[in-house]
């Protein structure tokens, strides 16, 4: 047990280890997420105060407030929470497996793979919204398998995974541009809007499938938190501690790819949440390991904050949330590259 950990013992002899700072950080992020969601629900052309939002959610609002909250704004906020959590959790897994802060799904090609799958459905088959979501999931999975096979050489090592992923991401980005140039005007407009990443128009249709995926995948990833922490010490150390390295790695990579693909299917390729949320969570908790729960909460809070900024900070012009995350994430990426270079890690 580390110096930052404490043990909670029950009368029955059960001992639960926890880290006070990390636990407090998770609770703080949960509170921030709830507060940001309430503020976001109350924002818009029909403003509602936070107290009225809470009363409406409890069933004490007017008919107009119930319609605006329950049918229009609440599903969008819930989709944002799940999308942010999925992206951040996927980023935490890949950064831990690669042992590299740049090992993020939107840097090493998995987000681009989902985008290619969705664009293929839009441009080639003129598919429905459900078909586009399915194409995003399939594209992410195919990309994940391809990167894993290309990076395999007596195991998958972090530096090789990042390099292969960056190369695959470049090729997939070229494929998306090619498909857009070959599409007709209507499909090209639809494709560009989807590629920007937006929560506009998201409702219960997107929420329930995403919730079902999260209900299966998030507990699975959290259950592998201890083996994932062992993997951060290297394959040899993990083997010595009894971890089945390749089985754990493949399971976690599949779960993370599915999480990122499901989030991309619901809201488009919202970039840089996977990159920044795990790093910010680690700096907040100051705890070793992947910080999975804190990363998921940080991703949800970040995406809600970005969505509020996109809808309210530019007057009457509502921007897609992907524009805000791209600007903020780009600045963060530059800062991260400078920091890693000064530390001699790149």
């Amino acid at each position: 047990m580390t110096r930052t950990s404490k043990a909670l013992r029950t009368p029955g002899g059960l001992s639960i280890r926890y880290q006070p700072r990390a636990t407090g950080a998770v609770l703080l992020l949960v509170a921030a997420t709830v507060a940001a969601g309430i503020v976001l629900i109350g924002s818009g052309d029909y403003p509602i105060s936070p107290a009225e939002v809470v009363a409406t959610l409890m069933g004490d609002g007017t008919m107009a407030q119930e319609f605006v909250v329950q049918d229009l704004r609440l599903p969008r906020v819930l989709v944002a929470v799940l999308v942010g959590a999925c992206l951040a959790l996927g980023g935490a897994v890949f950064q831990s497996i690669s042992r590299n802060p740049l090992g993020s799904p939107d840097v090493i090609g998995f987000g681009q793979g989902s985008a290619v799958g969705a664009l293929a459905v839009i441009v080639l088959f003129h598919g429905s919204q459900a078909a586009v979501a399915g194409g995003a999931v399939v594209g992410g999975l195919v990309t994940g398998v391809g990167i894993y096979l290309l990076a395999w050489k007596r195991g998958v090592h972090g530096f090789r995974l990042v390099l292969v992923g960056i190369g695959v991401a470049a090729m997939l980005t070229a494929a998306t541009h090619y498909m857009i140039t070959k599409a007709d005007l209507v499909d090209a407009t639809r494709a560009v809007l989807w590629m920007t990443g937006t929560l506009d128009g998201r409702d219960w249709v997107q929420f329930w499938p995403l919730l079902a995926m999260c209900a299966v995948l998030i507990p699975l990833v959290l259950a592998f938190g201890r083996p994932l922490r062992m993997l951060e010490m290297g394959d040899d150390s993990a083997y010595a501690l009894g971890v089945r390295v390749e089985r754990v790695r493949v399971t976690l990579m599949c779960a993370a790819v599915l999480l990122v693909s499901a989030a991309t299917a619901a809201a488009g390729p919202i970039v840089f949440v996977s990159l920044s949320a795990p790093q910010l969570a680690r700096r907040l908790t100051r705890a070793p390991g992947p910080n999975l729960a804190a990363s998921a909460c940080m991703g949800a809070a970040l995406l809600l904050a970005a969505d509020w900024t996109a809808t309210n900070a530019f007057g009457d012009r509502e921007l897609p949330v992907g524009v805000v995350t791209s600007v903020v994430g780009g600045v963060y990426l530059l800062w991260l590259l400078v920091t890693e270079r000064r530390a001699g890690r790149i």
Side-chain angles (χ1 to χ4, degrees), residues 192-207:
V192 170
L193 179 62
W194 185 88
M195 284 180 58
T196 305
T198 180
L199 294 167
D200 188 36
R202 297 305 181 263
D203 55 24
W204 299 111
V205 175
Q206 288 81 30
F207 171 73

Side-chain angles (χ1 to χ4, degrees), residues 301-327:
L302 279 178
L303 195 55
L304 286 176
D307 193 33
W308 185 90
T309 303
T311 55
N312 295 278
F314 301 95
D316 296 334
R317 296 182 62 85
E318 180 176 336
L319 297 178
V321 67
V323 174
V324 176
T325 60
S326 296
V327 173

Side-chain angles (χ1 to χ4, degrees), residues 2 39 72 121 137 163 178 190 208 213 225 227 234 257 272 319 324:
T2 64
V39 171
L72 299 181
V121 173
V137 174
L163 288 180
Y178 174 78
R190 183 184 173 194
W208 293 115
M213 294 282 285
V257 168
F272 288 122
L319 297 178
V324 176

